[in-house]
Amino acid sequence: LALALASSILRHSSAVRTFAPKPNIDLIEKFERDEEWVEMNDRTDFLPASRMGKARFLSETTSESSLFNPYASQNFVDGSYEYDEYQQAWRYLGFVIDCDASTDDDDRSGSYDGGTGDGCHRYVLWAAYVDLEYQGGGIGEYQYWDRYNQRWDDTSCQYGEAGSGDNGSGSGDNDDDGDRCAKMDCHLEDTHFSLLGFFKHKSYDDWMEQLFKHEGYCVWTSQEYSFMKSARKTWPQGCVQSGTTDEEGNAIYYDIKPTTGGGMTLGLYTDTRCVEEYKQNGRDDPINIENVVGNILMEGSQDSNDNGDDSVQYDTLEKSLAAWDSAFDIFKTCQPCVAYDLNNVGYGTDDDASKGSSYWVYNQNDDQNDGNQNGGDGTDFDCYDDADYTNVNQCMKFMAKTTMNAATYRDLSLAKQQGTLVDIPLSGLSTSTRSSNNNGRNAFLTVLFFMVSMAAAVFAAIKLYDVRKRTHRRYDPTIEEPLATKEGTMA
């Protein structure tokens, strides 16, 4: 799986490793930098379409801009190398509305039915990373962010060969001189992970299906999984006519509405592209999202047999959306590509149907816990998912079971303008060039040292010459007064 994932993902990125054609300078509109450029981070700026209309803002761009290629940038890690699946990670970045989708998108759209057929596509974005410092410890080489207690959980490290970890302090430090216990931190600005590439999916339902039944099943509680599995199927698959009209008889449509920080909700729109949002006429306006579509995440899922015994009921759409966001937030933080289950410790069977009392319970005294390569003689942290796979490679599933395309800086810039990306969406860019930066810094320091040394040598030579010039006396054989008089006595 490691080789298949690495080669497949990197083929996607290498497939677009070409430079865009040189643009026609005469057609480029002149902008004032201070007013028009938008900072993504302290190293990367983008030029927005702030003077354009909403349609342009939602990405009606020229063909030249659609060809913009991020993979020509050296900020990405070497894509020709095959990496171990355990050193690879991924992170959900958010949604982007694209009204001018690039023509190189695969036409196979999976379950995406398009609604009106005119809707501007909602793409889900994610990023892949690699840990170049990986030492072969599998799941047991990392600590993971605990979203409930807001701390780093190093439980898996404690089952490594040398019992590494931070001694339970939760600080994330590894001060006991054990095996490496690195943070799974590709969502942080100072991450040690390096960026492999950005990817996008038009059929977010297909993407979510693969995510939920594999890694989602093992990182969520049983109640969360039951709700998310059924609620996933209720989201609109395009711009849908609601059957409601405004006071003037105009149709109201609804679709996914990306929100800040990588969130998602439902929005009401007045056009068949689901771009122009409906504006309520005061608090008493009966046209609001819950009145129009109802508690769709719950009501739609009640027709399904997926709820099971662990289903949770939310009596309003607001509560349903809040529950969705709460569960989905885990994927905004760094996740390993190999599915894992930190709560599955001391459990000795891969039969999902017969999980016993040890499941969901840490058992640090179990002699079978090796935490090495997520397996070995034991089964610590094994993920027995809802599709009967064990420790599936989630990144590989995104590639193999959905329509996946490389996302460009144009896609990220567009999402940045719409305000729908997670915090620090470009994490991993600087670390992927850490070696080259260090080499450049070392070369600069070497040249600087040489120049200072040369300057010091020249200065010393000049001073030496000046001293010699002032102290040097010529030999003069003539003496103005004799040392003795004619009588032979001393003068």
Side-chain angles (χ1 to χ4, degrees):
L1 289 178
L3 298 180
L5 170 68
S7 60
S8 298
I9 283 184
L10 298 174
R11 277 199 299 270
H12 270 272
S13 61
S14 61
V16 293
R17 286 177 179 269
T18 56
F19 289 94
K22 184 176 181 180
N24 186 340
I25 302 298
D26 296 333
L27 298 179
I28 299 178
E29 183 179 356
K30 303 299 188 298
F31 293 101
E32 295 295 332
R33 177 174 180 84
D34 292 340
E35 298 178 359
E36 300 297 337
W37 284 76
V38 174
E39 183 180 6
M40 292 286 285
N41 61 25
D42 57 357
R43 299 181 181 88
T44 306
D45 291 347
F46 289 98
L47 183 65
S50 57
R51 294 184 182 177
M52 305 175 185
K54 180 173 290 186
R56 293 292 299 276
F57 173 71
L58 294 174
S59 187
E60 289 184 348
T61 61
T62 63
S63 59
E64 286 82 359
S65 65
S66 297
L67 291 174
F68 183 80
N69 175 16
Y71 294 97
S73 170
Q74 295 303 313
N75 284 329
F76 290 83
V77 75
D78 183 5
S80 64
Y81 189 81
E82 293 184 349
Y83 301 101
D84 188 286
E85 63 180 347
Y86 281 93
Q87 70 183 125
Q88 297 180 62
W90 73 279
R91 180 196 183 198
Y92 161 75
L93 297 180
F95 276 85
V96 61
I97 301 177
D98 195 345
C99 294
D100 185 30
S102 178
T103 56
D104 64 355
D105 284 344
D106 194 318
D107 290 334
R108 184 176 71 85
S109 58
S111 60
Y112 190 92
D113 62 24
T116 64
D118 298 329
C120 294
H121 297 306
R122 272 70 169 162
Y123 284 87
V124 63
L125 304 172
W126 64 282
Y129 307 86
V130 61
D131 178 8
L132 299 178
E133 302 171 12
Y134 177 69
Q135 298 178 3
I139 293 297
E141 189 170 325
Y142 297 99
Q143 49 187 300
Y144 304 86
W145 183 248
D146 184 342
R147 60 188 172 121
Y148 300 109
N149 297 311
Q150 296 295 296
R151 62 187 294 272
W152 289 100
D153 183 355
D154 71 333
T155 302
S156 53
C157 292
Q158 296 175 14
Y159 293 88
E161 291 181 352
S164 61
D166 65 355
N167 299 316
S169 67
S171 64
D173 297 327
N174 184 14
D175 298 325
D176 59 359
D177 298 325
D179 288 345
R180 180 175 184 247
C181 186
K183 296 176 182 178
M184 184 65 62
D185 64 355
C186 60
H187 59 285
L188 299 180
E189 188 171 10
D190 59 348
T191 179
H192 63 278
F193 280 87
S194 299
L195 186 63
L196 274 172
F198 299 115
F199 302 94
K200 64 179 180 179
H201 301 254
K202 182 164 63 176
S203 178
Y204 43 81
D205 181 63
D206 285 354
W207 182 82
M208 290 178 183
E209 179 185 10
Q210 292 300 317
L211 173 59
F212 289 10
K213 69 183 180 182
H214 295 302
E215 194 161 359
Y217 183 79
C218 292
V219 299
W220 285 327
T221 66
S222 57
Q223 291 82 8
E224 285 176 322
Y225 178 71
S226 178
F227 167 71
M228 296 294 283
K229 180 182 179 181
S230 58
R232 171 186 64 80
K233 303 176 182 180
T234 66
W235 290 93
Q237 301 299 307
C239 186
V240 180
Q241 186 170 353
S242 67
T244 300
T245 59
D246 61 17
E247 295 178 350
E248 299 177 355
N250 299 313
I252 301 296
Y253 304 84
Y254 69 96
D255 200 349
I256 282 183
K257 176 184 175 182
T259 59
T260 58
M264 56 187 293
T265 186
L266 292 163
L268 297 179
Y269 301 90
T270 59
D271 65 313
T272 59
R273 308 180 78 191
C274 285
V275 171
E276 299 289 342
E277 277 198 73
Y278 173 79
K279 293 181 172 54
Q280 282 190 282
N281 297 319
R283 296 182 178 179
D284 296 331
D285 189 344
I287 301 179
N288 60 60
I289 190 62
E290 186 150 8
N291 287 344
V292 172
V293 302
N295 188 3
I296 188 172
L297 268 64
M298 288 303 303
E299 295 169 359
S301 65
Q302 290 175 356
D303 297 331
S304 170
N305 295 322
D306 295 331
N307 290 326
D309 296 333
D310 294 321
S311 60
V312 179
Q313 300 297 317
Y314 301 101
D315 56 5
T316 66
L317 178 61
E318 181 180 6
K319 292 179 180 179
S320 297
L321 290 170
W324 175 278
D325 287 340
S326 175
F328 207 79
D329 275 352
I330 191 173
F331 301 119
K332 297 178 184 179
T333 58
C334 193
Q335 299 296 321
C337 280
V338 178
Y340 67 106
D341 186 348
L342 290 184
N343 294 301
N344 185 11
V345 178
Y347 189 69
T349 177
D350 59 0
D351 182 4
D352 183 68
S354 62
K355 290 177 179 177
S357 58
S358 294
Y359 194 71
W360 300 106
V361 178
Y362 293 148
N363 183 3
Q364 300 188 20
N365 298 319
D366 192 326
D367 294 336
Q368 297 298 319
N369 294 330
D370 63 347
N372 188 26
Q373 284 294 348
N374 198 25
D377 296 331
T379 56
D380 292 332
F381 317 115
D382 278 353
C383 171
Y384 309 126
D385 65 35
D386 202 22
D388 295 326
Y389 286 92
T390 301
N391 307 331
V392 74
N393 191 313
Q394 185 65 68
C395 300
M396 180 273 293
K397 286 294 183 179
F398 289 154
M399 179 275 301
K401 296 297 184 179
T402 71
T403 301
M404 184 179 80
N405 288 283
T408 67
Y409 275 163
R410 169 189 172 276
D411 298 313
L412 295 177
S413 178
L414 187 62
K416 174 67 175 179
Q417 288 297 296
Q418 296 170 10
T420 57
L421 291 177
V422 296
D423 294 335
I424 319 175
L426 299 184
S427 58
L429 276 174
S430 59
T431 57
S432 62
T433 55
R434 183 182 300 164
S435 297
S436 60
N437 289 340
N438 288 338
N439 291 338
R441 186 181 302 107
N442 292 337
F444 171 77
L445 292 176
T446 300
V447 172
L448 179 63
F449 176 77
F450 175 77
M451 294 178 65
V452 171
S453 299
M454 287 295 296
V458 170
F459 178 78
I462 293 174
K463 296 297 292 184
L464 178 62
Y465 174 78
D466 183 62
V467 170
R468 291 188 61 185
K469 183 178 180 181
R470 286 188 288 106
T471 59
H472 180 70
R473 296 180 179 178
R474 289 184 179 181
Y475 170 72
D476 188 356
T478 63
I479 301 178
E480 295 181 356
E481 295 183 4
L483 296 176
T485 63
K486 291 182 179 180
E487 288 77 11
T489 60
M490 295 293 296

